[in-house]
Amino acid sequence: MSDIVRARRYALVTGASSGIGRELAMILAREGYALVLVARRTEPMHALAQQLEKAHGVPSVVVGADLGSPEGVRTVMREVSTRQLDLEVLVNNAGFGLAGGFEVLPAEQQLGMIDLNIRALTALTREVLPGMLARRRGYVLNVSSSAAFQPGPLMSVYYASKAYVQSFSNALHEEMRGRGVTVTALCPGYTETEFAARAAEHQRPRLFSGPLGSLDARQVAELGYRAMVRGRAVVVPGFTNRLGAWLMPFTPLAVKLRITRYLNASGA
């Protein structure tokens, strides 16, 4: 893994140790991209890097970093700069959610959610975008959520963080128009990953019992990748999720709040 060739196309994927991030890394490797894999846990990423090199002949740089801290983004960009890698793709996938009452969930965890879901995503995008614009080629894929389209009682901070990601991504998509760079928001609904397990640390939402069905991480990643290369602003995987996103603007706030609260309440 040590002899990284600058001429290769590189994709940086955060939250690459599992779930949708891991699947997106596998798809990007299949498409010929060398990878910069970022997450807190390095062991699963080293295993993934070996798998991708064996299957697709692409090298990977593994970066262990806690993006929830200011030093995390600096660690990642220092590695990219030291190796003089030109990033063609940025996948901002790292993030987490927590279910439970706002006054009950630990304040430190909720503020950490904002740091990771919002601050780190914004900081990485700001670091990478100028180089893409200079080369007039690049893709940014921000993993948002179907939660972005309405407020979320009992997951209030998570839903609000994804509303930020959605608004930010849509605005940048328009700013980048005609400049060789595209920004896409991937908005999956409930997906059975480690994310779901962490979100249910304090309370398991009724939604996680699958009343609306779910897609697997591979399906979500494939749809996200296809939307990204086509330059779409938004992609919502799954018919039920797309229908819900379409209906939300026409649904009275009181109704949205009650439906979302019911889905986020404990299913136990």
Side-chain angles (χ1 to χ4, degrees):
M1 298 294 166
S2 58
D3 74 280
I4 303 299
V5 181
R6 282 192 61 198
R8 284 186 178 273
R9 301 183 303 161
Y10 271 85
L12 190 157
V13 182
T14 69
S17 59
S18 65
I20 295 171
R22 175 185 168 86
E23 296 295 339
L24 280 164
M26 294 175 72
I27 291 166
L28 287 160
R30 181 192 71 196
E31 299 300 320
Y33 285 96
L35 278 301
V36 180
L37 304 172
V38 180
R40 288 183 304 169
R41 297 177 299 159
T42 57
E43 188 175 341
M45 291 193 297
H46 281 298
L48 175 61
Q50 292 174 2
Q51 179 182 343
L52 297 182
E53 185 170 48
K54 183 177 180 180
H56 304 291
V58 296
S60 297
V61 177
V62 172
V63 184
D66 178 7
L67 294 176
S69 70
E71 182 58 32
V73 172
R74 290 195 287 268
T75 297
V76 173
M77 295 313 303
R78 191 160 51 239
E79 191 73 22
V80 170
S81 177
T82 299
R83 294 177 181 271
Q84 297 182 292
L85 305 179
D86 293 334
L87 298 175
E88 186 171 303
V89 176
L90 169 63
V91 177
N92 282 308
N93 168 72
F96 74 96
L98 292 173
F102 175 74
E103 81 286 0
V104 175
L105 294 175
E108 184 178 348
Q109 288 186 328
Q110 296 192 76
L111 293 172
M113 204 187 313
I114 293 170
D115 284 339
L116 182 57
N117 296 7
I118 294 177
R119 186 197 54 78
L121 177 145
T122 306
L124 273 174
T125 304
R126 179 60 181 81
E127 289 284 350
V128 171
L129 208 54
M132 291 181 173
L133 287 168
R135 295 184 294 274
R136 294 192 61 81
R137 181 171 178 81
Y139 304 94
V140 177
L141 179 64
N142 290 329
V143 179
S144 179
S145 168
S146 59
F149 301 108
Q150 67 279 318
L154 302 180
M155 290 187 75
S156 57
V157 174
Y158 174 71
Y159 276 57
S161 74
K162 291 305 181 179
Y164 171 89
V165 173
Q166 192 68 26
S167 178
F168 174 68
S169 301
N170 291 167
L172 279 190
H173 177 85
E174 179 59 28
E175 285 189 34
M176 296 301 107
R177 188 181 299 278
R179 302 172 72 184
V181 177
T182 63
V183 180
T184 300
L186 169 60
C187 305
Y190 172 63
T191 307
E192 190 66 53
T193 64
E194 289 184 8
F195 169 91
R198 183 173 187 185
E201 176 183 338
H202 301 278
Q203 171 181 302
R204 183 173 177 82
R206 187 175 281 112
L207 173 64
F208 287 13
S209 299
L212 300 180
S214 65
L215 298 177
D216 65 34
R218 183 68 179 196
Q219 290 174 301
V220 170
E222 286 283 4
L223 290 167
Y225 173 78
R226 275 185 257 160
M228 181 191 79
V229 296
R230 291 171 183 167
R232 291 176 56 187
V234 181
V235 56
V236 183
F239 173 77
T240 303
N241 296 323
R242 286 195 298 275
L243 179 63
W246 184 82
L247 288 173
M248 278 302 141
F250 307 104
T251 305
L253 177 60
V255 175
K256 287 191 282 193
L257 289 171
R258 286 170 190 155
I259 290 173
T260 310
R261 179 171 185 155
Y262 171 81
L263 291 173
N264 290 341
S266 176

